[in-house]
Amino acid sequence: MATGRSHRPATRSRGIPEATVARLPLYLRALTALSERSVPTVSSEELAAAAGVNSAKLRKDFSYLGSYGTRGVGYDVEYLVYQISRELGLTQDWPVVIVGIGNLGAALANYGGFASRGFRVAALLDADTALAGKLVAGLPVRHIDELETIVADSQVSIGVIATPAGAAQEVTDRLVAAGVTSILNFAPTVLSVPDGVDVRKVDLSIELQILAFHEQRKAGDEDRQEPDGDVPAVMPA
């Protein structure tokens, strides 16, 4: 397999909208589940329901891939798996480095979904010298001082940051300077990167706060829907 640095997926050069790109992994996950059950074809309605989108949006998204399905038959599951995997760049090997091997970093290192989706964890890095040499998910933790060498030797183009917020920008600067052009950021901070570097942010606390907002709103709706009971008169003191 070619390494991640050899060439980049054709998604943007083909003019596929970012919103469509964001939905492609959802389609791929649903299609992979169908493939594992040996389902040969799927209708746009069935696939849209499995991916959590509406069928009109799905058909529009697939039109960007040049895949229109067959009337009365639907989409060929195996071909769509290949086609979407190719567009996402998952038909090649993408070496990944994870920086920050605390609880979250260690959990990410142990996540089995990376390898099955074309991502190979090339190295685990941490600034804590006490962690150096410790095995996590079968890989020895290496000191952050080795970052530049590892990026060059393994041709890493994707970095995962799981450090505390205060260290994230410095780590980002070093990754970018070493040649990393895509970053997945789990640190609770906004990163500054130059043009040509893509950053995807995952902030679990923000997601929980959004859920808390919805829970509060639902609770308020329930309170407003309760039938009026007898309201005691307020007597003057």
Side-chain angles (χ1 to χ4, degrees), residues 2-202:
T3 62
R5 191 68 62 80
S6 60
H7 62 283
R8 303 186 69 78
T11 303
R12 290 183 179 176
S13 63
R14 290 178 54 158
I16 300 178
E18 287 291 337
T20 296
V21 174
R23 287 188 290 269
L24 291 182
L26 304 179
Y27 302 141
L28 182 59
R29 181 172 60 189
L31 286 162
T32 299
L34 292 171
S35 176
E36 290 172 350
R37 291 174 9 226
S38 300
V39 176
T41 60
V42 62
S43 70
S44 58
E45 288 79 11
E46 291 170 330
L47 183 54
V53 303
N54 67 64
S55 57
K57 186 174 292 183
L58 176 144
R59 288 190 291 269
K60 179 66 173 177
D61 288 342
F62 284 0
S63 72
Y64 291 111
L65 309 182
S67 184
Y68 298 92
T70 303
R71 184 178 295 277
V73 177
Y75 294 95
D76 183 287
V77 170
E78 290 300 330
Y79 180 70
L80 265 185
V81 167
Y82 164 74
Q83 194 174 27
I84 294 176
S85 296
R86 182 187 62 190
E87 290 297 331
L88 290 173
L90 303 183
T91 55
Q92 55 188 304
D93 177 38
W94 294 102
V96 174
V97 62
I98 300 176
V99 185
I101 312 302
N103 291 333
L104 177 57
L108 293 170
N110 279 286
Y111 175 55
F114 286 142
S116 65
R117 290 166 175 81
F119 301 97
R120 174 176 59 84
V121 178
L124 309 175
L125 297 171
D126 200 281
D128 187 353
T129 55
L131 289 177
K134 178 182 177 181
L135 286 180
V136 175
L139 288 173
V141 177
R142 300 169 69 174
H143 194 267
I144 191 70
D145 288 347
E146 298 184 66
L147 184 151
E148 288 78 9
T149 299
I150 290 169
V151 170
D153 290 349
S154 298
Q155 294 187 303
V156 174
S157 57
I158 300 176
V160 178
I161 296 179
T163 67
Q169 185 62 56
E170 180 182 353
V171 169
T172 297
D173 293 341
R174 290 183 61 180
L175 286 170
V176 171
V180 170
T181 52
S182 292
I183 293 173
L184 181 60
N185 177 34
F186 284 89
T189 187
V190 176
L191 300 176
S192 176
V193 296
D195 291 341
V197 176
D198 295 305
V199 176
R200 299 289 296 181
K201 181 172 174 55
V202 180

